[in-house]
Amino acid sequence: MRRRPARGASVSASLAAEAGIDQFIDIGSGLPTEDNVHEVAQWVNPKARVVYVDRDPFVVEQSEKLLRGNPNTAFVNRDIRDAAGILGSDAVHDLIDLSRPVAILCVAVLQFVPGDGEPGAILRSFRDAVAPGRHLALSHPVPRSSEAAQISQTYAQTRSQLTFRTPEQVRELFDGWEILEPGVVSLHQWRPSTVEPGAQRPGSAAAENAGFNSVQAKPCSCAAEPGAQRPGSAAAENAGDWFCCAIGRKP
């Protein structure tokens, strides 16, 4: 069971505001939090459509409760490795028009796919299914933190083993995608992008804590598995250093 923070929401806000994207497939969505992708995307554009994908039974249960009554959202109970099953699902067929602009979000999920799981092939399957001009956003842990070994050992004791990849290896995952500026960088370095000057979504954590006027590349706990990051630990304080992110566009 995985609780993923709001980085996916930040990316969706950026793409919705800057690229006019109103369709999102959020793969490995994790447990619902505040400022979920659909909440932020539909704040920018009330007609935005979001399909969440995860395979954890508890995530499925909680997400379906959250999405009840929202006709522009749906949930698919699939593994990221099953690209054909995801794209061929009723939810994607009913809500997402792959011939139109769409963003595929793989935020803090590919580290759970080992090398022999062929993460590059997984992303190529999604790439081949969408038209040119469509977007892929992902974040991934890189072995920069002094606690990387400890974090890996913690995950080794669970069913979710963690794979670190270098920035070069993350860049290779974008085979066939044009990586947008500023490239594959740490969360600290990721570009700010204005949603609307001074705008704040009422009641949101972002509005309460920092203002919802921009998508900030601030440190965030992008792999909040139990034990992976303790409050006050070097990993928690430097999450922006050991997680990198990038957005690609299919030429």
Side-chain angles (χ1 to χ4, degrees):
M1 184 169 59
R2 190 171 67 100
R3 184 181 295 277
R4 192 189 65 182
R7 178 56 46 185
S10 296
V11 171
S12 67
S14 175
L15 290 172
E18 295 182 1
I21 292 177
D22 60 0
Q23 301 185 114
F24 300 86
I25 302 176
D26 185 10
I27 303 173
S29 54
L31 282 172
T33 62
E34 187 171 8
D35 293 337
N36 294 287
V37 168
H38 74 281
E39 293 171 325
V40 175
Q42 290 174 359
W43 176 70
V44 176
N45 180 353
K47 296 183 179 180
R49 299 184 173 197
V50 179
V51 172
Y52 291 99
V53 181
D54 208 295
R55 66 172 185 174
D56 185 282
F58 189 68
V59 171
V60 174
E61 177 186 356
Q62 295 301 310
S63 297
E64 289 179 342
K65 287 180 181 179
L66 174 69
L67 302 179
R68 201 167 291 155
N70 190 325
N72 284 342
T73 62
F75 195 91
V76 175
N77 183 1
R78 294 278 183 173
D79 190 286
I80 188 175
R81 299 170 181 85
D82 186 9
I86 293 170
L87 296 172
S89 66
D90 290 341
V92 170
H93 180 268
D94 292 343
L95 283 182
I96 305 297
D97 180 354
L98 294 177
S99 68
R100 293 185 56 250
V102 61
I104 297 170
L105 310 181
C106 295
V107 177
V109 63
L110 284 171
Q111 66 267 25
F112 300 113
V113 179
D116 58 9
E118 298 187 355
I122 293 171
L123 293 182
R124 285 193 294 273
S125 297
F126 289 106
R127 180 201 67 197
D128 293 345
V130 299
R134 295 3 176 193
H135 291 74
L136 166 70
L138 69 82
S139 68
H140 201 290
V142 294
R144 290 175 179 164
S145 169
S146 59
E147 293 193 3
Q150 178 185 343
I151 295 170
S152 293
Q153 290 174 3
T154 299
Y155 276 93
Q157 299 170 16
T158 73
R159 62 179 182 175
S160 300
Q161 296 194 16
L162 191 70
T163 298
F164 285 91
R165 291 183 173 91
T166 65
E168 291 73 22
Q169 290 173 315
V170 172
R171 193 172 292 108
E172 290 173 358
L173 296 176
F174 281 91
D175 178 39
W177 301 84
E178 173 193 359
I179 299 179
L180 304 183
E181 292 295 334
V184 178
V185 296
S186 71
L187 295 183
H188 287 308
Q189 298 171 304
W190 201 64
R191 61 198 174 103
S193 95
T194 300
V195 174
E196 185 174 335
Q200 294 188 5
R201 192 168 67 82
S204 71
E208 294 172 3
N209 296 329
F212 200 73
N213 59 323
S214 64
V215 181
Q216 297 292 337
K218 59 185 179 182
C220 74
S221 170
C222 286
E225 294 278 352
Q229 295 187 8
R230 305 176 307 280
S233 70
E237 294 172 359
N238 298 314
D241 290 328
W242 66 274
F243 253 83
C244 66
C245 66
I247 294 178
R249 179 175 55 210
K250 182 176 177 179

